[in-house]
Amino acid sequence: MRGGPALSLNLSRVSATLMKIGCAGGDDVGRAVVLLAAGLGTRMKSKRHKVLHEVLGKPMLLHLLDELDHLACDQRIVVVGQLREQVQALVGDRADIAVQEQQFGTGDAVRAALPVLRTDIDTVVVLYGDAPLIRHETIQALCDAREEAHAAAAVLVAEVRRPTGLGRVVRAADGGVERIVEEKDASPEEKQIRLINTGIYAFRAEDLRRLIPALTPDNAQGEYYLTDVIRLLREAGERVVAVEAEEDEIASVNDRAQLAEVERILRRRICERWMRDGVTIVDPDRTWIGVDVRIGRDTVIWPGTVLQGRTEIGEDCVIGPNARIRDSRVGDGATVEASVVLESDIGSGSSVGPFAYLRPGSRIGERVKIGDFVEVKNSVIGDDTKVSHLAYVGDADIGARTNIACGVITVNYDGERKHRTVVGSDSFIGCNVNLIAPVTVGDGAYVCAGTTVTDDVPEDGFAIGRPRQTTKPNYVRAWKARRRARLAADLGGSGETRE
Ligand code: UD1
Ligand code: MG
């Protein structure tokens, strides 16, 4: 019995070491990332927590968690406070949660994370939930810089045009960081400094455990400043290195204007990535491509295009102008112009639009034409079929090489339930045909224009169902003559003429 626990202890040590090697990319440092997200973000003026606001269709916090998937990291901690249930629901099991009951400053937020911090963690990276553009390469570079310089901490800094509101970095004689001064505590000379603290750091865990409890709130804001840890480290003779980041990577969101600015930066970054990958984007400033979208080579994206969710566009496609495609797949060589496509599939070589609306569950085959003012919903349309204009195809299965002419309507709803329409292959459905579902039209059938189909039409069958036409020769001439005579009689007494 006594041998059991000892053996399992050894094994768990071995597996912990293996995990570190696998996870931390070869060095034996246990690394944690602490994401601060306790502040509400009052300036957003929102019912939603700030980190839940979306940038390119994805909440800011998820951008960070997804980016951290690419970083060797043994523990993630999200510090929550206000509206914590919203943040926790988004985090799920992707990070440990630390609660900061009241927001007494960034130093206090990291204090809240310390009890959750695993004891085998040596390096702590601090990030903000409202700065979603940071790349894992930059975080890695920050950690590497600290280790290579044998420094206590590394601070990500940036030279910015407008440093207002941000902490200014006072350089040390060795080129590192001497201290960080918050705007509200800064002297007029210090306010001139344009090198700012991004709020992203790599610390030795033991320093945080020791120095965070030593912080005091004796500053202009009465807060516990995490930045004071840097000063305390320097006073103890430690080195603190500065790593410079691009301004575009460290932008943070305090209000909706900054949210739009962060989105603009990311939108541009994503467009550039696809352009480097062989996609032509005619006007990147007017193109919105979500982070999880995939696009094949030699596809051309015209302005006004919005590609959302898990959309996949093939090669050699032409998308836009003015197309919105969400959670859909577009095959190679397809065209989608000025249309809305939601949760649908478009086969290779097909063309959609202008002004078509593909609602969820539309599966369009290859070389299909979906023309102007056509709405398709929850329907399968076979290869080489044409629905060229002004039609509604809902809850239908349409075969291959069939022609659905102008004005065809699947009458799928009886006021209570939806019913399916089935049309075979090589069929012809004429203009203004109503297909009253449930109904089936067989392969090779022909339905004449204006027919209301209530009964099934068999294979190779012909259906016509419209009132018989009555033609009256010379009727109009006689009718007009009668009208003229009546008018003349009405005006007879007055001598006036009127038409
Ligand atoms: C902080 C830095 C400043 C830096 C700036 C960069 C300090 C003292 N100052 O200032 O040097 O230039 O970020 O954006 O650190 N938070 C909590 N709990 C709190 C307070 C804040 O979780 O009690 C979180 C917020 O939700 C936010 C982040 O920490 O994600 C930053 O807080 P914020 O109040 O915006 O810090 P700044 O005053 O901007
Ligand atoms: Mg801030």
Side-chain angles (χ1 to χ4, degrees):
M1 279 303 285
R2 286 160 75 203
L7 182 65
S8 72
L9 187 72
N10 284 343
L11 279 179
S12 72
R13 265 202 202 135
V14 171
S15 68
T17 310
L18 284 175
M19 216 173 73
K20 277 188 207 164
I21 290 168
C23 207
D27 53 41
D28 57 356
V29 174
R31 182 190 292 160
V33 173
V34 175
L35 268 160
L36 305 190
L40 171 65
T42 317
R43 277 175 283 168
M44 294 297 280
K45 304 213 167 108
S46 177
K47 294 177 283 302
R48 257 196 292 169
H49 192 286
K50 179 161 61 173
V51 297
L52 268 69
H53 280 264
E54 292 181 355
V55 173
L56 279 191
K58 188 191 272 194
M60 281 191 258
L61 189 60
L62 285 193
H63 278 280
L64 287 163
L65 290 176
D66 287 352
E67 191 63 25
L68 290 180
D69 284 345
H70 302 286
L71 183 79
C73 168
D74 303 286
Q75 190 185 17
R76 302 154 169 204
I77 302 172
V78 177
V79 180
V80 299
Q82 303 199 50
L83 296 179
R84 77 177 77 143
E85 39 324 304
Q86 290 187 4
V87 182
Q88 263 176 280
L90 192 70
V91 171
D93 59 3
R94 297 184 70 185
D96 297 330
I97 296 285
V99 179
Q100 185 196 22
E101 291 291 349
Q102 275 185 293
Q103 285 67 59
F104 294 129
T106 48
D108 185 60
V110 172
R111 180 204 50 76
L114 292 180
V116 182
L117 192 66
R118 274 175 18 197
T119 49
D120 59 339
I121 296 294
D122 310 293
T123 299
V124 175
V125 174
V126 177
L127 304 178
Y128 291 168
D130 58 8
L133 299 179
I134 188 77
R135 293 177 309 122
H136 68 275
E137 293 93 337
T138 305
I139 302 173
Q140 185 62 49
L142 190 71
C143 295
D144 292 347
R146 189 189 73 76
E147 279 158 33
E148 279 159 25
H150 302 288
V155 182
L156 195 68
V157 302
E159 191 83 34
V160 300
R161 282 157 292 167
R162 281 177 285 127
T164 315
L166 295 165
R168 311 296 207 279
V169 175
V170 178
R171 289 258 193 205
D174 65 358
V177 180
E178 186 63 44
R179 64 202 157 85
I180 294 163
V181 196
E182 293 308 297
E183 164 124 339
K184 289 192 176 132
D185 304 295
S187 67
E189 297 78 54
E190 285 166 340
K191 281 187 185 150
Q192 300 302 312
I193 299 173
R194 289 198 300 124
L195 191 69
I196 60 98
N197 168 30
T198 66
I200 294 169
Y201 323 80
F203 290 105
R204 280 192 306 229
E206 59 184 76
D207 292 338
L208 289 181
R209 290 194 183 99
R210 192 165 39 86
L211 297 175
I212 289 280
L215 296 179
T216 53
D218 47 358
N219 51 59
Q221 305 185 80
E223 287 184 1
Y224 294 90
Y225 287 170
L226 180 58
T227 45
D228 281 349
V229 170
I230 305 294
R231 185 175 48 78
L232 294 174
L233 286 169
R234 289 292 297 151
E235 283 170 9
E238 298 275 8
R239 280 193 79 187
V240 176
V241 289
V243 173
E244 214 162 317
E246 295 288 324
E247 192 174 351
D248 272 2
E249 210 180 318
I250 50 93
S252 65
V253 174
N254 291 305
D255 57 30
R256 310 251 182 175
Q258 288 171 340
L259 183 69
E261 177 60 15
V262 160
E263 174 152 311
R264 190 192 61 78
I265 294 168
L266 188 60
R267 198 150 41 84
R268 187 78 209 194
R269 195 194 276 177
I270 285 175
C271 282
E272 272 166 18
R273 176 214 152 159
W274 288 115
M275 291 189 283
R276 268 198 309 277
D277 258 22
V279 176
T280 294
I281 299 179
V282 176
D283 185 353
D285 289 334
R286 294 200 294 137
T287 305
W288 196 107
I289 300 173
V291 274
D292 298 319
V293 169
R294 298 281 166 271
I295 310 172
R297 291 204 171 158
D298 288 317
T299 281
V300 178
I301 313 269
W302 286 92
T305 293
V306 177
L307 304 177
Q308 301 170 293
R310 304 212 160 263
T311 290
E312 273 180 47
I313 310 282
E315 298 188 0
D316 302 305
C317 294
V318 179
I319 309 295
N322 300 327
R324 177 160 92 90
I325 306 178
R326 173 171 56 74
D327 291 318
S328 297
R329 199 196 63 85
V330 178
D332 295 343
T335 304
V336 180
E337 183 180 353
S339 294
V340 176
V341 178
L342 309 175
E343 295 167 43
S344 291
D345 219 284
I346 298 169
S348 307
S350 289
S351 95
V352 173
F355 317 118
Y357 183 19
L358 302 193
R359 290 167 56 199
S362 300
R363 300 220 315 273
I364 313 296
E366 298 186 359
R367 299 170 302 281
V368 168
K369 179 173 181 194
I370 304 290
D372 51 285
F373 305 105
V374 171
E375 175 174 337
V376 182
K377 183 212 81 173
N378 187 29
S379 294
V380 179
I381 297 187
D383 296 345
D384 299 292
T385 282
K386 289 186 169 63
V387 191
S388 297
H389 11 237
L390 296 147
Y392 173 60
V393 178
D395 302 305
D397 300 291
I398 308 215
R401 299 171 301 282
T402 282
N403 186 66
I404 305 288
C406 185
V408 169
I409 288 173
T410 54
V411 184
N412 58 332
Y413 186 49
D414 61 11
E416 278 180 18
R417 287 186 302 140
K418 300 282 172 66
H419 303 280
R420 272 195 105 71
T421 298
V422 178
V423 176
S425 295
D426 302 296
S427 299
F428 181 95
I429 311 294
C431 289
N432 272 353
V433 166
N434 294 313
L435 296 155
I436 313 274
V439 75
T440 298
V441 176
D443 292 344
Y446 195 106
V447 178
C448 293
T451 300
T452 292
V453 181
T454 50
D455 300 325
D456 290 352
V457 180
E459 191 178 327
D460 297 320
F462 177 91
I464 181 163
R466 58 192 182 209
R468 232 171 229 295
Q469 182 173 329
T470 308
T471 307
K472 300 179 179 179
N474 292 323
Y475 180 87
V476 177
R477 193 183 300 154
W479 167 63
K480 282 185 176 168
R482 279 202 303 279
R483 194 179 60 173
R484 268 200 303 276
R486 202 169 51 242
L487 275 174
D490 286 354
L491 298 170
S494 70
E496 289 175 36
T497 51
R498 210 173 76 195
E499 190 40 32

